[in-house]
Amino acid sequence: MGTHFPIRPASFADAAAMAAIERHCFSDPWPLEGFREVLGMPGTVALVMTAADQPMAYFLAREILGTAEVLNLAVVPEFRGRGLGAELLDAGLSAVRARGGSEVFLEVRASNAVAQALYAGRGFRTEGR
């Protein structure tokens, strides 16, 4: 909080950096090809937050006919705890709404209390476990 990092639309050229962030953040990461595939799909909303012009966080969602799913949100560990995930989520949800998304779903691991708190703070509620 108090530190601003630019957020921009992700491009196909960001796929490798996004996959690297994914490997750094998750025990079961998406492969590089998964990022390339999603970035090429219609309805994809993809943003990266950068530090020194390098992606250090990303948001991925898909919107189809007014319904969206947040596919992933990741912030590298050394930048966590500064409200950047919330800032990126807000930007991503705004982009989803701009595409016409009025209903947004996501999945969160039961063990990820930090993510659950972030999403609950943005109005998401548990529909199933």
Side-chain angles (χ1 to χ4, degrees), residues 81-105:
R82 303 180 194 187
L84 303 176
E87 184 180 344
L88 187 56
L89 177 61
D90 290 345
L93 293 175
S94 290
V96 164
R97 281 191 294 276
R99 284 191 51 81
S102 58
E103 187 172 39
V104 182
F105 296 92

Side-chain angles (χ1 to χ4, degrees), residues 26-74:
F26 300 110
S27 60
D28 187 21
W30 287 15
L32 172 58
E33 200 50 47
F35 283 94
R36 289 180 175 154
E37 183 178 331
V38 169
L39 287 169
M41 290 180 172
T44 295
V45 174
L47 302 174
V48 291
M49 180 179 277
T50 61
D53 293 325
Q54 296 300 311
M56 43 71 90
Y58 72 86
F59 170 91
L60 272 179
R62 294 236 16 241
E63 183 278 326
I64 299 171
L65 301 173
T67 300
E69 179 182 11
V70 175
L71 301 172
N72 229 342
L73 171 68

